[in-house]
Amino acid sequence: MMRWLAILTITMLTAACSREVKVFEPASARDAGTGGGSDSKGDADANEVGSDAAALPSNARTLNAGLDHTCAIDAGALYCWGNNDYGQLGLGDLMARGKPARVGDRADWLDVCGGEVHTCAIRSDGLTYCWGKNLHGELGVGDFNPRTLPTRVEGMPFVQLSCGGYNSCGIGSDGSLYCWGDNFEGKLGLNDPYDSPDVPSPTRVSGGFSFREVTLGQGTACGITREGALYCWGRNTDGQGGTMPELMQLRAPARVGSDSDYKRVSTAMRHTCAVKADGRLYCWGTDAEGSLGLSVAPDTRKNAPVQVGSDTDWADVRVQWFHSCALRTGGALYCWGRGQEGQLGLGDIESRSTPARVGDASDWTQVATAKFHSCGLRASEAYCWGVNDDGVQLGLGDMERRYEPTLI
């Protein structure tokens, strides 16, 4: 979370702005709008749902992406765009948006994350809100009813969030990690039996560890402790858990190696990548379409971290489905893996098996990866590229794919 605050970044599932209003005032109960339909209202005044914007403000700072939707925070204001079948944009309806749309009028949002069809965000007071589909309890509001407006998650304040396919996790100020939602394959890390049910409320992850970062993929979760140790849990069918290859599921956090110098981590469908404090980049899991960046044969499996190249100036990495993108400390952006939809931003539809530089700019500050598109921040402005078939993924207001980063 400190990472987001330091650079007020952009998240592919988020967007932001300012002003104050009653839309997200905390309710005394878990949520002010209960009820079981996709038209559930969420907290407080559901009629103030924000409006479409022609573009993001030029000083956008935080970006995050889900499956087919993206959100960004700027000066505390939250904007979202993309598909909205289950209310994942938080605008009080089910209508998709082809351009960034303001979520309410509050200007105190700090962090946001997007899952497959849900979104969660934190306000400056630490209160957490979620909205969208809630089939597995991924909203953390104690039930399984969808919400089309931000609805408060009860429990301790969180300082960092991550959203997976149908689950979510939050880190408290003391480093305690709580997860909720889909419990299939042990992705909540509760050290429970294989047939345990889904969990619709925040529940502490087993082990008592103190975390400073957590990331969720489709079935796997990984976290870095305050001491720099890396743990993963959940799906391990492709080696993405980075440990114990004989286990298909890791139902409790399992340590990846013995190193204590991990700085960033990101996990996807079949692979995971991480950056260490010395600037080295590592990936592991199954190499689908070059996603590991190791120039190995297709579907090669690596059960433990393998260094990508020999460079020592990597700053961050984000992975999703079958592609990966990473930032160098100098601000250069590299992507690799599947490229058929233009999600690598390299001007073509070719896949890459090793990191390839995206343009020649050296002022990238953040990157976010979604299923078949990517977004990033450059000089405080938001860019997206990749698939745009529904006319909503890239926030550009048209249905054209972009094969290079395009300013929103």
Side-chain angles (χ1 to χ4, degrees):
M1 174 61 191
M2 293 300 100
R3 169 165 66 99
W4 306 113
L5 298 183
I7 56 179
L8 275 177
T9 34
I10 295 182
T11 338
M12 264 194 170
L13 288 163
T14 53
C17 227
S18 18
R19 249 199 311 172
E20 277 202 359
V21 81
K22 303 175 183 177
V23 181
F24 307 120
E25 285 298 326
S28 56
R30 171 171 279 118
D31 66 273
T34 57
S38 56
D39 61 344
S40 295
K41 295 301 183 183
D43 282 347
D45 300 303
N47 59 333
E48 302 189 54
V49 297
S51 59
D52 288 301
L56 282 178
S58 61
N59 60 341
R61 291 292 188 280
T62 303
L63 179 72
N64 199 315
L67 186 69
D68 285 314
H69 76 288
T70 303
C71 296
I73 295 174
D74 170 55
L78 176 63
Y79 295 82
C80 293
W81 64 93
N83 284 329
N84 194 32
D85 307 40
Y86 297 95
Q88 59 264 43
L89 299 187
L91 302 171
D93 58 38
L94 304 180
M95 185 173 66
R97 299 300 200 280
K99 293 183 178 181
R102 179 84 178 265
V103 180
D105 282 338
R106 294 198 69 101
D108 58 352
W109 296 100
L110 294 180
D111 192 21
V112 62
C113 69
E116 191 156 323
V117 282
H118 79 286
T119 307
C120 294
I122 302 174
R123 293 191 340 204
S124 59
D125 54 11
L127 297 182
T128 298
Y129 291 76
C130 294
W131 56 94
K133 193 172 185 177
N134 197 27
L135 181 64
H136 297 278
E138 58 267 34
L139 302 188
V141 296
D143 59 40
F144 300 92
N145 299 321
R147 303 295 199 282
T148 61
L149 285 172
T151 303
R152 183 176 170 182
V153 178
E154 280 195 349
M156 67 181 299
F158 294 121
V159 297
Q160 193 238 323
L161 291 175
S162 184
C163 299
Y166 292 96
N167 62 320
S168 311
C169 292
I171 297 177
S173 58
D174 62 352
S176 56
L177 176 61
Y178 290 77
C179 294
W180 58 93
D182 186 6
N183 198 25
F184 182 62
E185 297 179 293
K187 66 183 71 173
L188 300 186
L190 303 179
N191 197 25
D192 50 9
Y194 287 102
D195 57 351
S196 295
D198 295 336
V199 180
S201 299
T203 303
R204 186 159 187 182
V205 171
S206 66
F209 303 108
S210 179
F211 289 93
R212 61 176 171 81
E213 178 168 303
V214 63
T215 178
L216 305 183
Q218 279 71 32
T220 310
C222 295
I224 299 174
T225 68
R226 289 182 169 180
E227 297 74 30
L230 175 62
Y231 288 81
C232 292
W233 58 95
R235 183 186 302 164
N236 194 37
T237 52
D238 287 285
Q240 61 269 61
T243 183
M244 302 181 191
E246 71 278 6
L247 296 179
M248 303 293 279
Q249 296 182 19
L250 304 170
R251 300 198 69 87
R255 187 161 182 178
V256 179
S258 58
D259 294 339
S260 296
D261 58 348
Y262 283 95
K263 182 173 68 173
R264 295 281 183 266
V265 63
S266 183
T267 187
M269 177 175 283
R270 304 180 69 189
H271 73 293
T272 303
C273 293
V275 174
K276 289 189 175 182
D278 62 4
R280 299 179 192 275
L281 174 65
Y282 293 79
C283 292
W284 60 95
T286 298
D287 188 86
E289 303 188 61
S291 53
L292 295 186
L294 300 173
S295 190
V296 294
D299 290 325
T300 294
R301 175 171 167 166
K302 301 292 184 181
N303 294 314
V306 178
Q307 186 175 352
V308 179
S310 58
D311 295 303
T312 59
D313 61 345
W314 296 102
D316 196 9
V317 63
R318 299 292 104 186
V319 305
Q320 206 23 287
W321 282 57
F322 307 120
H323 78 289
S324 310
C325 293
L327 295 174
R328 293 281 184 85
T329 55
L333 173 63
Y334 288 75
C335 293
W336 62 96
R338 180 184 173 102
Q340 284 91 319
E341 291 77 22
Q343 60 266 58
L344 301 186
L346 300 172
D348 55 39
I349 56 173
E350 300 297 321
S351 296
R352 302 294 198 283
S353 61
T354 58
R357 185 164 182 177
V358 180
D360 56 5
S362 295
D363 55 355
W364 293 97
T365 58
Q366 189 182 345
V367 64
T369 49
K371 182 180 180 181
F372 293 135
H373 76 281
S374 305
C375 294
L377 279 181
R378 218 193 107 199
S380 298
E381 294 183 314
Y383 292 75
C384 288
W385 57 95
V387 72
N388 198 33
D389 294 348
D390 297 325
V392 294
Q393 288 95 332
L394 304 186
L396 299 170
D398 59 37
M399 298 184 67
E400 294 182 21
R401 292 188 180 187
R402 300 298 198 281
Y403 301 102
E404 295 179 333
T406 303
L407 178 66
I408 299 180

